[in-house]
Amino acid sequence: MIVLFGESIRFFDTTLRDGEQTPGISLVPAQKLEIATHLADVGVHVIEAGSAAASEGERESIRAIADAGLAAECCTYVRALPVDIDLAADAGADSVHLVVPVSDLHITTKLRKTREQVCDMAWSAVEYAKDRGLIVELSGEDASRADQAFLAMIFQEGVERGADRLCFCDTVGLLTPERATELIPPLLFAPLSIHCHDDLGFALANTIAALRAGASAAHVTVNGLGERAGNTALEELVMALEVLYGVDTGIATEELYPLSTHVARLTGVPLATNKSIVGEMAFTHESGIHAHGVMRDASTYESIRPEMVGRRRRIVIGKHSGSAAVEAALRDMGYTPDAGQLAEIVTRIKQVGDAGMRVTDADIMAIADTVMDIEFTPCLELRQFTIVSGSNAVPTASVTMLVNGGEITGAAVGNGPVDAAIRALQRSVADVGSIRLDEYRVDAITGGTDALVDVSVKLSKDGKSVTSRGARTDIIMASVEAVIAGMNRLLGEEHEDRSQNSD
Ligand code: MN
């Protein structure tokens, strides 16, 4: 394989600027600082912390990140205006991402200016920013639709006026790898960054093509956040370079998944389950053939080892599962069925899956108990629960349960009635074990407000986890049922011998 990259590739992360421009995201300064710190720890070189002209909160974030002494350069987005540059410099930024529209569409329709006016603005802004002691990355907005001779002229003169770096922005995601290969080489008057958007799913391919054509830095965001369909994803670019091109990126790859979940949690933007590298299903196997293959040698159906990005492989059991995967899952749960019992358990699991339901750990255990004739005595039993919720009430739940035969009543408030109910349950069992809720998901099985609601949860205790489900027309009742089913399995663990009747 011929690898055509320059000395080293720099990662310019714009999660906190372009990523934050994803509709609906708004981060407070403390959250931005948290993400910036994580980004610097992972090893990105430049952090675009925000847009200094946008608001006082943005300036506060930039100041906090610039003052934090991170290993990464603190950059901020500015327009070619002295007022923006002053705000950036006063906030303590190391550098500016100085963005100038370069396509005629943007120059005439958006800005209502001429090419000459834009050149003057750009070049005097470069000089002004240099006077203010800033590193300048001169960026051509909508560069992929620009007259390339004009773009080269504005870049070349920009570098002569003091710009340290350049950036080619494929602002609306219209580039192809073939065009990137052609357009980048004539623009290398200074180190050049590539900024891509994923409107047609080409951001990663375009970024790699531009890097191979001579660009030395890539603009990226965590989880591919960004305007519309988002930007090139940091985790995808890093792993593609490492795995497919043999590049040592210097990025702490095993931190990519923790960083991804951190950003997803703070931004509130959930990940597609099938998202590359960081999606829930990226290292999950259900199908019998795949799971069996992966158990023999993971490389049969995995392009990278999950540990490389800080994850673990998961084999889930469902109607596609074969007996090898079911047997392995049962062994993990402490069951050792004989061949006949295993065959019957597999058949029953497939029936649950065929009925259109997700098969949870608690379902598998209940099936195994029945088939293997194991008596399961739940240690928790719900006696009553009451929820108070409304426009003038803090959602409050009270629960009475039998815990190992003794009656315990607990109460809790929460963000909503479901949250309050689950907290009350957790509090009630606190004496017998500290149980964490790791995942909560709701599926309505039918449409309408009278729909049957299927709640699945993942609970954990001392590093052991279990999934369970509740299905009711009442969402709170379904949640309570799911959590109690899971808690019973987690708490039952210690004093059960699941192999006793397996002979
Ligand atoms: Mn952008």
Side-chain angles (χ1 to χ4, degrees):
M1 184 167 29
I2 304 159
V3 178
L4 288 173
F5 292 103
E7 285 290 284
S8 63
I9 295 164
R10 286 164 56 87
F11 294 88
F12 178 117
D13 186 281
T14 180
T15 305
L16 299 178
R17 200 277 300 168
D18 213 325
E20 207 208 14
Q21 284 171 222
T22 305
I25 300 186
S26 181
L27 297 166
V28 300
Q31 294 173 318
K32 282 200 160 193
L33 179 59
E34 231 186 84
I35 293 174
T37 306
H38 207 158
L39 284 166
D41 289 347
V42 165
V44 306
H45 304 86
V46 184
I47 294 168
E48 189 170 23
S51 174
S55 71
E56 183 47 43
E58 282 285 273
R59 290 190 283 283
E60 202 185 306
S61 303
I62 294 161
R63 217 171 285 126
I65 293 166
D67 290 347
L70 304 177
E73 173 186 309
C74 174
C75 183
T76 162
Y77 179 98
V78 293
R79 293 165 297 177
L81 299 171
V83 55
D84 281 24
I85 293 163
D86 283 334
L87 289 168
D90 295 344
D94 301 312
S95 60
V96 285
H97 176 213
L98 200 167
V99 180
V100 181
V102 290
S103 69
D104 289 327
L105 176 67
H106 276 234
I107 291 171
T108 56
T109 312
K110 188 183 78 173
L111 279 189
R112 299 197 187 285
K113 292 200 186 306
T114 63
R115 286 187 180 188
E116 291 67 34
Q117 286 171 310
V118 164
C119 287
D120 286 342
M121 283 175 69
W123 297 330
S124 36
V126 168
E127 287 174 335
Y128 189 72
K130 288 313 295 177
D131 284 346
R132 295 250 19 205
L134 294 156
I135 298 168
V136 176
E137 179 155 329
L138 176 62
S139 191
E141 185 181 16
D142 204 23
S144 43
R145 287 193 291 185
D147 170 351
Q148 297 299 305
F150 171 69
L151 177 61
M153 192 269 290
I154 203 167
F155 273 180
Q156 185 168 21
E157 178 78 19
V159 171
E160 277 162 26
R161 304 282 189 106
D164 303 278
R165 306 190 295 247
L166 300 168
C167 177
F168 184 104
C169 291
D170 182 30
T171 304
V172 287
L174 289 169
L175 200 57
T176 60
E178 294 76 16
R179 284 196 76 229
T181 306
E182 259 170 55
L183 301 187
I184 297 301
L187 301 173
L188 302 173
F189 305 105
L192 183 104
S193 303
I194 179 73
H195 177 110
C196 292
H197 278 270
D198 208 31
D199 297 75
L200 290 163
F202 267 23
L204 175 63
N206 290 337
T207 299
I208 287 185
L211 290 170
R212 295 194 67 159
S216 50
H219 284 205
V220 291
T221 59
V222 177
N223 299 339
L225 292 173
E227 294 268 13
R228 308 179 311 281
N231 291 67
T232 307
L234 168 68
E235 61 279 5
E236 292 177 16
L237 179 60
V238 168
M239 294 318 292
L241 288 170
E242 294 262 353
V243 174
L244 301 178
Y245 294 92
V247 176
D248 178 4
T249 60
I251 297 290
T253 60
E254 69 288 349
E255 267 303 306
L256 289 171
Y257 184 63
L259 175 65
S260 162
T261 51
H262 190 183
V263 168
R265 183 165 49 80
L266 293 186
T267 57
V269 178
L271 292 165
T273 56
N274 62 344
K275 165 81 177 65
S276 313
I277 316 287
V278 292
E280 190 191 341
M281 297 304 164
F283 297 98
T284 300
H285 309 273
E286 178 182 317
S287 122
I289 296 164
H290 287 219
H292 199 187
V294 164
M295 285 191 290
R296 288 204 168 146
D297 179 347
S299 68
T300 52
Y301 288 102
E302 277 176 0
S303 54
I304 61 176
R305 286 182 300 109
E307 294 79 12
M308 282 178 80
V309 294
R311 302 195 64 174
R312 288 170 61 188
R313 174 176 313 116
R314 213 158 59 110
I315 308 277
V316 301
I317 301 302
K319 68 172 179 182
H320 305 105
S321 300
S323 55
V326 173
E327 190 178 17
L330 287 168
R331 209 182 309 119
D332 279 351
M333 295 168 179
Y335 292 94
T336 46
D338 62 30
Q341 291 168 334
L342 177 63
E344 178 60 21
I345 293 168
V346 171
T347 303
R348 294 199 191 189
I349 286 172
K350 286 178 190 288
Q351 285 165 356
V352 176
D354 279 338
M357 284 185 283
R358 192 190 302 270
V359 183
T360 66
D361 296 338
D363 294 328
I364 297 168
M365 292 164 101
I367 290 170
D369 287 342
T370 309
V371 170
M372 295 169 68
D373 196 22
I374 295 171
E375 198 177 330
F376 173 63
T377 325
C379 59
L380 305 180
E381 211 179 297
L382 181 67
R383 276 297 157 92
Q384 71 82 30
F385 84 89
T386 310
I387 300 284
V388 180
S389 164
S391 60
N392 288 318
V394 178
T396 307
S398 82
V399 176
T400 305
M401 282 198 293
L402 278 183
V403 182
N404 290 327
E407 203 170 86
I408 292 182
T409 297
V413 295
N415 283 329
V418 171
D419 185 44
I422 293 174
R423 280 169 195 270
L425 292 172
Q426 284 170 314
R427 203 163 285 179
S428 306
V429 301
D431 279 350
V432 278
S434 157
I435 292 181
R436 244 181 44 187
L437 176 69
D438 294 332
E439 277 170 37
Y440 175 89
R441 85 183 268 160
V442 181
D443 296 298
I445 291 172
T446 52
T449 51
D450 61 347
L452 187 64
V453 176
D454 189 337
V455 171
S456 29
V457 297
K458 185 172 163 198
L459 303 173
S460 65
K461 173 180 170 280
D462 308 329
K464 265 260 171 194
S465 68
V466 69
T467 55
S468 55
R469 186 180 58 226
R472 299 278 186 134
T473 50
D474 177 332
I475 187 170
I476 299 164
M477 201 55 224
S479 306
V480 167
E481 190 176 271
V483 169
I484 289 183
M487 283 178 164
N488 265 323
R489 288 300 179 174
L490 279 176
L491 296 171
E493 195 97 280
E494 295 100 54
H495 32 82
E496 263 174 59
D497 179 4
R498 288 170 186 151
S499 56
Q500 57 184 356
N501 296 324
S502 68
D503 51 351

